[in-house]
Amino acid sequence: MALVFAILLDLLFAEPPIPAHPVVWMGRYLAWLGKLLPKAPGKAFLLGAGGWCFGALACVGTGAAIEWRLGRLELHWRWVVEGLVMWPLFSIRMLFTEVASVEKGLSISLMEGRRRLSRIVSRDTAELPEVVVRESALESLSENLSDSVIAPIFWWGILGLPGIFLYRFANTADACWGYRGDWEWKGKWAAIADDVLNWIPSRLTAMLLGGLFRLARLRTQAAVTPSPNGGWPMGALALALGVRLSKPGVYVLNPGGRSPLPKDSKRALRLCGIAVAVGVVLLLSLKGVFDGGL
């Protein structure tokens, strides 16, 4: 029931105020620490890993402390408080709204579609043609379905609040530090940790998107992306829609598929909505197995 309440809060209100948002606090800690990390590869890696571990321990400790305190509350209050705590730790409404906004922007102009896409991807969108803008939005939808929805709920199902706090910290650290160039060694530990924690959720997300029925083809598609995890949900969505998804110069998923059309954005959002609903039921069952009932 706590998860259901958290999802209702997310669907009704999207994100909580910034001062009450734990992911914002995590980001501020990582931004502050990132400025202090040295450039020398060895020291950067060790201090980056140490800073990551300290932050992760603080997040796990926070989750454990809240969970211990919840154990003293009556069941209905426990659900309410735990739902409030979990609410900012995943994002369904914002993800779906931002992806739908890209397609709406394209209906206005290519420039507006590019502008709206820039809010959800890190790549430069200024020169992207319409088909690549749409492909990028669909890729972001599928990958973030894993990162921002299924993975945090999965880790809550297994480890409770310590698990979901740990995952959100790891994912935020990868988003802040997991880059090439000057961040190559500073964020290497963060990138590895994020890959490890996303290994199962990314594949679970792919199965929820219909990948179970196309497993042999999906394995082939997932292998073409640089990320060991991102290709699974993206490849599953490409195959489910029968479309081609690509990042120019990096990878092409389902190369035999057609270019996505405006209707495919609606189909993708509908399919991802079904995947969330089925995933929540499965992960609630998983939670029940691990703690003997919700």
Side-chain angles (χ1 to χ4, degrees), residues 185-255:
W185 289 98
K186 297 176 184 179
K188 186 171 286 291
W189 178 273
I192 292 171
D194 185 70
D195 285 343
V196 170
L197 291 175
N198 274 305
W199 198 91
I200 295 176
S202 64
R203 287 152 179 80
L204 174 59
T205 303
M207 298 305 104
L208 292 170
L209 290 172
L212 184 62
F213 306 108
R214 311 173 182 87
L215 195 53
R217 294 175 64 197
L218 177 57
R219 284 197 183 108
T220 301
Q221 299 307 311
V224 306
T225 62
S227 165
N229 298 319
W232 285 86
M234 290 192 296
L237 185 64
L239 292 171
L241 297 177
V243 302
R244 174 184 183 273
L245 298 178
S246 68
K247 184 174 183 179
V250 182
Y251 60 77
V252 178
L253 295 166
N254 194 26

Side-chain angles (χ1 to χ4, degrees), residues 109-174:
S109 69
L110 176 56
M111 183 177 297
E112 181 62 15
R114 290 167 174 166
R115 187 187 70 80
R116 297 188 184 192
L117 178 67
S118 69
R119 300 197 302 233
I120 59 174
V121 300
S122 57
R123 74 183 78 171
D124 182 9
T125 65
E127 302 297 328
L128 296 182
E130 179 177 337
V131 65
V132 177
V133 170
R134 186 170 290 116
E135 288 178 2
S136 300
L138 293 176
E139 290 162 4
S140 180
L141 172 63
S142 57
E143 192 168 16
N144 281 291
L145 182 69
S146 177
D147 291 355
S148 299
V149 183
I150 300 301
I153 298 175
F154 172 83
W155 286 109
W156 170 77
I158 290 186
L159 298 175
L161 290 180
I164 192 172
F165 270 95
L166 172 63
Y167 175 77
R168 287 309 296 167
F169 176 78
N171 191 242
T172 304
D174 183 59

